[in-house]
Structure formats: structure tokens, C-alpha cells
Amino acid sequence: MKLETYLAQVAVKQKDFAEEIGDGPHNINRYCRGHRIPKPSVMRKIYTATGGLVDANSFYDLPSLLTPTG
């Protein structure tokens, strides 16, 4: 799941999520827009804070191995 989608579903503002994981709101905005990929340490915080719903694949647009590909 994309970070932007997750934040919308749980009704959390980017600014609040940034505070929760200890990152700047401008970085969260860049992650949501796809203009920046989080460093591994930040990616772990995002993964943990979202209960694993937002993972590294969410930032790289890799296909899921669980999704059949015609």
C-alpha cells in the first residue's frame, strides 16, 4: 500500500505521521508524492508505524509476488 493511501485511510495528516516517526513533514510529503525514497532507517519506522501495510515495495512500485501476472 502506498503511504499516501495509508494516511488517507487512517485519517492521519502527514504532519502528524512525521512527528510519530521522527521525520520532517516535508519528507513525508516527498515520500507520498514519489519524489523521494526513505532511507532504510526511516523505512523501518514507516513499516512499523503502519503495521507492515506500507513496505519497501510501496516505494519502488515492484509487483507483488502474490498477485498473478497474466
Side-chain angles (χ1 to χ4, degrees):
M1 171 183 300
K2 298 283 186 186
L3 179 57
E4 184 173 40
T5 303
Y6 172 82
L7 294 175
Q9 285 185 359
V10 297
V12 172
K13 294 181 181 180
Q14 291 180 11
K15 177 181 74 93
D16 296 333
F17 188 75
E19 289 177 13
E20 180 181 344
I21 67 166
D23 203 352
H26 57 283
N27 286 335
I28 301 302
N29 185 267
R30 290 178 182 140
Y31 305 149
C32 287
R33 294 185 326 187
H35 293 176
R36 179 177 285 174
I37 294 174
K39 295 181 211 177
S41 60
V42 175
M43 189 126 11
R44 280 190 287 280
K45 291 177 183 179
I46 291 170
Y47 182 81
T48 301
T50 63
L53 294 174
V54 178
D55 62 9
N57 285 347
S58 303
F59 297 98
Y60 289 99
D61 290 325
L62 298 174
S64 171
L65 295 176
L66 303 177
T67 304
T69 56

